Amino acid sequence: MFGSSPVTVVITSEDDTWDINTSCLGCGQFVDWDRMPDLEQQVDIPEDILSRSPKELKKLAREGYWAASRDLRAQVYHQLIQQVACRLVTPDAHVYRDVASRLFGKLSVSSHPLPEFLEGCSMPTYYLNLEGVTALKKILICIGNLFPDITYSPVLPSLVALLLHYSADEAQCFENISRLIASNASHASYIDQSFVAHQASCMTFGDLANKHCPAAHRLIASASENVFEVYSEWLSWLFHDLPFSYAIRVFDTFLLEGQKVLYRIGLALLKQYRLSGSPSELEGTDIKADLQAFVQNIAEHVTVDKLLEKAFGIRLFSRKEIWLLQMANRKALMERGITMVQSRQSFHLAVDMQSFSSSIVTPQEMRIVWSWIPERFSLFPPLLLFSNSEDGCSLQR
């Protein structure tokens, strides 16, 4: 049923098929405006708005300037993405029309499985109408056909859905998302496209949370069996759990500033979560589900403008430093032989808390201590090198 919150379709298996209706190709009317929370009003748009400097555009995006006009946001999105540096041979709108015609034929309805890289992923449709949902499915199927290197990308459906709200037609949306997929900008990427890349991003978020949100990080580490299990959902907070009016403002800044801005907003959500309740109130709760519920009801705690203000107030590493941290985490995963989707339990709980015993720390304290170790090192089980009780405490030895 359609409600005020994003409608979620859970993709359970590659064998599932969806009906594809090709009758709406090129219509561009993908949004159910009656369900949009606020009607956007037309404003006077300066003629030079799209030719302003990147620095000024960043400021306008952070302040929510695009939100005043659907037409302005649509124009800005298209121009910004067209300026993204990407691979020379990147599928465009003409390629989409050709491939869509070949895949779906001239019949009004046909059945096609979704790409394998979406298996098990969830997909918010926000305020897309039925034609928009059909367009979303078709675009994802064409992406799977034209980008065979994508093996895992849980955030991709959300980005396509957001773009569709501000696209003239399916082909334009496909061309723009293709440019983000094919971006080759230095020390930056827009969309993780493999399990290792996605896991490395989650590990990097954990490292940043440990450094920039120590109170919230300590709270999560003490209340959860596996802190990485909580942080593995950080992108879902932004592009699945956040209300549309918040998610689209995140998307505004994301197009201009890349993944670094996502880390900022994720950290700001963590900080706000820590302020929303006392540690005693969280005892015995499912911290992962509690965080998800908090993000879904974020409007009760902080406005979108205040959230972004907090996010950009965090003194974060440079884009290059974050990229190097991601590469280090990715290398550690590959050294463990992690190359494709598999159980997190096997490689993230390096310390078995069930059999853990110590005369110095409790299992809960050990979880906190272990969460302080950089993610790329905490992948590996600890090896005892020295013990006072066994080796003595003589300084001469």
Side-chain angles (χ1 to χ4, degrees):
M1 295 179 61
F2 293 109
S4 59
S5 60
V7 178
T8 301
V9 178
V10 178
I11 305 161
T12 58
S13 170
E14 63 182 348
D15 295 327
D16 288 351
T17 58
W18 286 8
D19 290 334
I20 305 301
N21 183 346
T22 59
S23 62
C24 68
L25 183 63
C27 69
Q29 304 299 316
F30 301 131
V31 180
D32 185 347
W33 294 106
D34 291 334
R35 293 194 302 116
M36 287 287 278
D38 294 307
L39 294 177
E40 294 174 288
Q41 300 177 350
Q42 296 296 321
V43 297
D44 293 330
I45 304 173
E47 293 183 0
D48 66 336
I49 184 65
L50 297 177
S51 61
R52 296 188 181 184
S53 68
K55 183 176 181 180
E56 188 171 0
L57 287 174
K58 286 181 182 179
K59 181 176 183 294
L60 293 174
R62 292 181 182 186
E63 294 174 352
Y65 190 85
W66 318 143
S69 165
R70 179 187 182 276
D71 291 338
L72 173 59
R73 190 174 250 148
Q75 291 178 52
V76 170
Y77 281 4
H78 185 65
Q79 174 163 310
L80 290 177
I81 296 175
Q82 289 299 308
Q83 294 174 353
V84 170
C86 60
R87 296 193 292 268
L88 184 62
V89 181
T90 299
D92 58 12
H94 298 291
V95 172
Y96 175 79
R97 294 188 183 100
D98 180 64
V99 171
S101 176
R102 174 168 53 83
L103 286 177
F104 309 122
K106 297 183 182 298
L107 299 177
S108 60
V109 177
S110 61
S111 295
H112 292 266
L114 285 164
E116 291 184 15
F117 67 79
L118 293 178
E119 183 174 355
C121 299
S122 58
M123 182 175 65
T125 54
Y126 299 110
Y127 296 105
L128 295 178
N129 56 26
L130 293 179
E131 293 173 340
V133 174
T134 295
L136 174 59
K137 300 169 189 176
K138 291 173 65 179
I139 292 170
L140 290 171
I141 291 169
C142 286
I143 289 173
N145 186 270
L146 291 165
F147 291 92
D149 291 342
I150 300 179
T151 56
Y152 189 75
S153 187
V155 75
L156 186 56
S158 300
L159 300 183
V160 176
L162 288 172
L163 263 180
L164 263 176
H165 286 72
Y166 299 93
S167 296
D169 55 30
E170 296 172 26
Q172 185 191 71
C173 181
F174 172 84
E175 178 174 320
N176 284 336
I177 199 68
S178 292
R179 294 188 66 86
L180 296 182
I181 292 171
S183 168
N184 58 5
S186 177
H187 301 138
S189 65
Y190 286 92
I191 303 171
D192 293 329
Q193 299 167 43
S194 69
F195 182 69
V196 169
H198 173 72
Q199 294 294 90
S201 294
C202 296
M203 293 167 66
T204 300
F205 182 78
D207 289 330
L208 295 175
N210 184 22
K211 179 177 178 59
H212 296 281
C213 308
H217 178 74
R218 187 166 56 251
L219 174 65
I220 291 172
S222 63
S224 61
E225 291 293 326
N226 185 354
V227 66
F228 181 83
E229 197 71 28
V230 177
Y231 291 150
S232 66
E233 301 295 325
W234 79 281
L235 282 171
S236 293
W237 302 342
L238 306 183
F239 292 123
H240 181 277
D241 298 325
L242 276 180
F244 177 84
S245 58
Y246 284 68
I248 200 65
R249 289 284 300 276
V250 173
F251 194 68
D252 290 347
T253 56
F254 168 66
L255 288 182
L256 278 159
E257 305 185 53
Q259 276 194 343
K260 183 180 177 181
V261 74
L262 302 185
Y263 288 114
R264 285 185 173 278
I265 296 168
L267 295 175
L269 286 171
L270 267 189
K271 285 177 174 286
Q272 191 64 37
Y273 176 70
R274 172 63 181 82
L275 295 174
S276 66
S278 63
S280 60
E281 295 175 350
L282 297 175
E283 290 183 6
T285 63
D286 181 343
I287 198 79
K288 187 176 176 181
D290 196 58
L291 245 171
Q292 181 184 35
F294 170 79
V295 175
Q296 290 172 346
N297 297 286
I298 188 66
E300 299 176 3
H301 304 278
V302 64
T303 65
V304 63
D305 290 304
K306 194 65 178 178
L307 180 67
L308 292 178
E309 180 184 327
K310 290 176 177 289
F312 290 107
I314 299 172
R315 297 181 61 84
L316 206 58
F317 300 140
S318 69
R319 180 182 297 181
K320 181 178 180 180
E321 288 172 318
I322 291 178
W323 180 81
L324 290 173
L325 184 56
Q326 286 179 318
M327 292 302 103
N329 285 325
R330 188 180 302 192
K331 181 181 178 181
L333 285 167
M334 296 178 70
E335 287 177 353
R336 284 296 308 273
I338 309 302
T339 57
M340 59 188 69
V341 179
Q342 53 191 279
S343 171
R344 297 189 185 103
Q345 185 86 3
S346 63
F347 65 93
H348 277 292
L349 283 183
V351 179
D352 183 2
M353 294 302 173
Q354 297 297 323
S355 60
F356 176 81
S357 64
S358 169
S359 59
I360 301 175
V361 294
T362 65
Q364 184 183 37
E365 290 169 338
M366 185 59 186
R367 285 202 300 267
I368 297 175
V369 171
W370 199 251
S371 75
W372 293 337
I373 301 172
E375 291 280 358
R376 60 187 179 278
F377 301 129
S378 65
L379 286 173
F380 302 90
L383 176 65
L384 181 63
L385 297 180
F386 179 86
S387 168
N388 279 356
S389 60
E390 296 179 9
D391 304 302
C393 55
S394 171
L395 295 178
Q396 294 179 346
R397 290 185 294 146

